Amino acid sequence: NAGVTQTPKFRVLKTGQSMTLLCAQDMNHEYMYWYRQDPGMGLRLIHYSVGEGTTAKGEVPDGYNVSRLKKQNFLLGLESAAPSQTSVYFCASSYSRGRADTGELFFGEGSRLTVL
Amino acid sequence: QQQVKQSPQSLIVQKGGISIINCAYENTAFDYFPWYQQFPGKGPALLIAIRPDVSEKKEGRFTISFNKSAKQFSLHIMDSQPGDSATYFCAASQSYNTDKLIFGTGTRLQVFP
């Protein structure tokens, strides 16, 4: 099992360009998440999905869009990249919520995005 | 009230020493407190977690201590090893709600031989 796979791992954009980050999981998890990690700010939730065809806003959703057309995939899009979106992005997945044995988040290895 | 405050930001420990990372929260509804460990270039991974019905949980060299009245919890790493060098995040949520998990700002631990 590959777990949670993110592509690409690195990307450099110019201000105003658009791009999509792809997350794929092979654990049949219902929940999927996109976080951003910035120095001194921990992990902040951007958007999440509780199942195929659903999406919801997290703590820092502005400037991002997401889609979950298939259960195993969760896409994060930047329509017009800004330098403030320079960050490391992590995708995660989990079985569901509200149960002790399903509360664990499984993270991908991250995608480092630089916006010039 | 939704914040989880974590300290210190960085920590340097000699091999064999004890590493202590502290976290504090405000929301009394939080009842699930996991710790995640992140190695350089990797994603975070669940290390250990605790619920407030116990004051301590131990897994090998890693122990979570929980003080409900003070709204604080801490991670103790006994006999710290260079392989423990990583960034550690505390987190909190209500009823294992993973979509409402609030992370601390992280502590970078370096263990020197």
Side-chain angles (χ1 to χ4, degrees), chain A residues 10-43:
Chain A
F10 301 93
R11 184 73 188 269
V12 178
L13 288 177
K14 294 181 179 179
T15 297
Q17 287 184 320
S18 63
M19 74 156 296
T20 300
L21 296 177
L22 172 63
C23 176
Q25 53 94 4
D26 61 2
M27 296 174 282
N28 201 34
H29 285 171
E30 289 293 334
Y31 279 52
M32 297 188 73
Y33 316 78
W34 277 106
Y35 287 88
R36 60 178 290 173
Q37 182 178 10
D38 302 290
M41 303 192 75
L43 293 154

Side-chain angles (χ1 to χ4, degrees), chain A residues 31 33 35 37 40-43 45 48 90 94 96-100 102-105 107-109, chain B residues 9 32 36 38 41-46 87 89 95-106:
Chain A
Y31 279 52
Y33 316 78
Y35 287 88
Q37 182 178 10
M41 303 192 75
L43 293 154
L45 183 63
Y48 65 99
F90 286 96
S94 65
S96 64
R97 66 202 287 265
R99 287 174 49 187
T102 61
E104 179 177 358
L105 292 178
F107 284 86
E109 295 199 336
Chain B
Q9 188 173 359
Y32 173 61
Y36 280 79
Q38 183 183 27
K42 302 294 184 182
L46 181 65
T87 299
F89 293 96
S95 302
Y96 313 106
N97 289 342
T98 49
D99 54 320
K100 300 290 189 291
L101 195 61
I102 305 296
F103 284 90
T105 51

Side-chain angles (χ1 to χ4, degrees), chain A residues 19-101:
Chain A
M19 74 156 296
T20 300
L21 296 177
L22 172 63
C23 176
Q25 53 94 4
D26 61 2
M27 296 174 282
N28 201 34
H29 285 171
E30 289 293 334
Y31 279 52
M32 297 188 73
Y33 316 78
W34 277 106
Y35 287 88
R36 60 178 290 173
Q37 182 178 10
D38 302 290
M41 303 192 75
L43 293 154
R44 293 181 294 168
L45 183 63
I46 304 171
H47 286 280
Y48 65 99
S49 167
V50 303
E52 181 179 316
T54 74
T55 62
K57 294 180 180 180
E59 180 187 354
V60 288
D62 294 342
Y64 305 95
N65 56 77
V66 288
S67 64
R68 189 150 179 221
L69 300 179
K70 294 183 179 180
K71 184 177 183 179
Q72 64 268 33
N73 295 337
F74 195 29
L75 279 64
L76 178 70
L78 286 72
E79 290 186 346
S80 180
S84 61
Q85 294 178 304
T86 294
S87 186
V88 181
Y89 292 87
F90 286 96
C91 177
S93 68
S94 65
Y95 285 105
S96 64
R97 66 202 287 265
R99 287 174 49 187
D101 58 344

Side-chain angles (χ1 to χ4, degrees), chain B residues 11-101:
Chain B
L11 184 59
I12 299 174
V13 174
Q14 203 79 17
K15 178 182 176 182
I18 302 173
S19 303
I20 302 174
I21 304 170
N22 300 300
C23 287
Y25 63 98
E26 293 290 331
N27 189 343
T28 55
F30 288 156
D31 59 3
Y32 173 61
F33 304 91
W35 285 86
Y36 280 79
Q37 179 188 53
Q38 183 183 27
F39 293 107
K42 302 294 184 182
L46 181 65
L47 178 65
I48 186 173
I50 196 170
R51 289 209 67 184
D53 50 349
V54 297
S55 60
E56 185 175 282
K57 182 174 182 179
K58 185 176 181 179
E59 290 186 1
R61 296 183 294 106
F62 298 89
T63 299
I64 300 179
S65 297
F66 185 80
N67 186 330
K68 188 174 182 178
S69 61
K71 291 184 286 185
Q72 296 176 347
F73 57 110
S74 60
L75 177 68
H76 296 236
I77 305 174
M78 310 301 288
D79 186 26
S80 298
Q81 299 296 312
D84 297 330
S85 297
T87 299
Y88 293 82
F89 293 96
C90 62
S93 72
Q94 182 179 353
S95 302
Y96 313 106
N97 289 342
T98 49
D99 54 320
K100 300 290 189 291
L101 195 61

